[in-house]
Amino acid sequence: MTRCENVWVAAEDASDYAALVAVARDLGACATAVWMGDEQGLDAVRGSGAGAVIHLAGGALVEDGAQVLAQLAAERTPDALLVAPTKRMRLLGACVAARRGACVMSDATSLSVDEEGALRAERMVYGGGAVTVERGVSAFVVAVPCAALLASKAAEAAEAPGAAGDAGASCAVETFAVQPGSSGIRLVERRAREVDAVNLSAARNIVSVGRGFAAEEDLALAYELARAVGAEVGCTRPVAEGSKWMARERYIGVSGAMLTPNLFIAVGVSGQVQHMVGATGAKVVVAVNKDKGAPVFKQADFGIVGDLYDVVPRLVAELER
Ligand SMILES: Cc1cc2nc3c(=O)[nH]c(=O)nc-3n(C[C@H](O)[C@H](O)[C@H](O)COP(=O)(O)OP(=O)(O)OC[C@H]3O[C@@H](n4cnc5c(N)ncnc54)[C@H](O)[C@@H]3O)c2cc1C
């Protein structure tokens, strides 16, 4: 008898349910889908292969829905809640876990049930350099399967057509009203976030900017170099999230974009593994750093030890000659 017989799954996008249901099935569980979206999406969720659907209707905020879900979890004692690896679903999982005192297993590359019936998750750490194994010790566990795991399950689910549709036809839906503001957070206004439309993954060449740049206006040097080699400009996390000189969409690495460009030029970048893992797919890596001991040189095919304020203008001049 495992402790993973009754698993709830939640996603923002109805098309993500089939993969989550497949993960739950691999655990030997019957999946119940938790849906916070509209009626239109509900039909797709019903057809995802889940045995039942809990529809949280009427609440605009995840925090409000989480209140209702945590209460339901207390009454119905599911073994686990699997949430899709999106910001809102991570928030849902975290809020429910906090209310239920549950273990949270984040970004699991694999999920299984051990011989004692506990949920077991593997997760990559140190930028993919090692794997950690975690065991859920609470009666109710919240787990976040990583995007790669869900993508492989989605492919498997797509290869087995029919099963999901059959289950959806008879799938029961229970609707629970969510009271807006019940979590104590009031929605005042909705405004579209301004996003930088850059697609670094599609760029053939990348110039990556690090904290070696002393001032925001100096980034003009990086843009000049990028123009000279036909590159997009990306950055390290501190440049985006610390100094906020660039949009979040532009930072590269384990928690940002993972790239496979022809040419990756790291300028004023120390080369910590969390950043460089985003460039391991690059064909040629060039580094400019004034510290000859900087880790970036270990991964570079060509390295220039020097001050970027001296080196970059000279590189641009040479390239434009
Ligand atoms: C859980 C976790 C996840 C993370 N995820 C990411 C991630 O996805 N992406 C990411 O980028 N980081 C990530 N980080 C942060 C990462 O560990 C590094 O701190 C970060 O990448 C360092 O950024 P940097 O190279 O710009 O700055 P620094 O490490 O400060 O390096 C600046 C470099 O510039 C050089 N320099 C200074 N002045 C000049 C000059 N005038 N000319 C030439 N060189 C100069 C210095 O010698 C130094 O090597 C993560 C960290 C953690 C803990």
Side-chain angles (χ1 to χ4, degrees):
M1 183 91 125
T2 72
R3 275 176 30 197
C4 275
E5 293 173 337
N6 180 9
V7 170
W8 292 2
V9 299
E12 284 176 60
D13 192 329
S15 64
D16 285 339
Y17 279 88
L20 284 165
V21 168
V23 174
R25 279 205 188 121
D26 285 353
L27 298 172
C30 176
T32 295
V34 176
W35 175 242
M36 285 190 69
D38 56 19
E39 295 284 334
Q40 203 182 347
L42 187 56
D43 282 342
V45 177
R46 290 188 74 201
S48 65
V53 178
I54 292 172
H55 181 205
L56 303 176
L61 294 177
V62 168
E63 288 88 341
D64 295 337
Q67 295 238 110
V68 178
L69 194 58
Q71 183 58 39
L72 281 172
E75 291 162 12
R76 300 184 178 191
T77 63
D79 303 306
L81 168 67
L82 306 185
V83 296
T86 60
K87 281 187 191 154
R88 294 182 76 225
M89 289 301 106
R90 285 177 195 274
L91 177 61
L92 179 74
C95 290
V96 172
R99 288 182 182 277
R100 300 296 318 131
C103 293
V104 178
M105 297 161 129
S106 198
D107 299 309
T109 51
S110 80
L111 282 167
S112 56
V113 180
D114 73 12
E115 54 288 345
E116 287 165 25
L119 198 61
R120 179 183 183 278
E122 290 189 0
R123 180 166 63 89
M124 283 208 259
V125 289
Y126 304 123
V131 173
T132 180
V133 179
E134 294 167 351
R135 187 169 184 270
V137 291
S138 53
F140 170 60
V141 176
V142 172
V144 189
C146 75
L149 174 57
L150 288 183
S152 75
K153 290 293 154 196
E156 280 175 27
E159 279 169 21
D166 293 348
S170 58
C171 173
V173 178
E174 284 181 282
T175 300
F176 297 89
V178 176
Q179 201 57 44
S182 56
S183 61
I185 301 172
R186 195 162 54 89
L187 180 65
V188 178
E189 181 192 353
R190 272 184 190 278
R191 210 184 301 160
R193 188 167 67 96
E194 282 177 25
V195 290
D196 189 334
V198 68
N199 181 3
L200 291 184
S201 310
R204 286 164 56 82
N205 303 322
I206 296 282
V207 171
S208 182
V209 164
R211 272 198 293 209
F213 284 79
E216 186 174 4
E217 54 270 27
D218 301 345
L219 299 185
L221 284 174
Y223 283 101
E224 276 172 38
L225 178 59
R227 200 185 56 245
V229 293
E232 273 291 357
V233 178
C235 63
T236 60
R237 188 163 95 169
V239 170
E241 295 205 324
S243 334
K244 303 209 185 303
W245 290 346
M246 287 197 188
R248 294 194 77 249
E249 290 76 14
R250 286 193 186 258
Y251 88 74
I252 297 157
V254 67
S255 29
M258 306 287 275
L259 310 174
T260 53
N262 286 336
L263 175 64
F264 183 88
I265 308 179
V267 185
V269 169
S270 58
Q272 299 303 322
V273 65
Q274 292 90 352
H275 180 71
M276 294 309 288
V277 74
T280 43
K283 288 208 178 87
V284 176
V285 176
V286 177
V288 179
N289 196 304
K290 69 179 183 186
D291 173 10
K292 70 174 186 323
V296 71
F297 289 124
K298 293 206 180 97
Q299 201 167 321
D301 299 292
F302 300 94
I304 301 173
V305 179
D307 189 321
L308 70 91
Y309 290 93
D310 171 37
V311 173
V312 174
R314 285 165 64 183
L315 272 178
V316 173
E318 279 300 315
L319 286 161
E320 289 181 341
R321 235 165 20 128

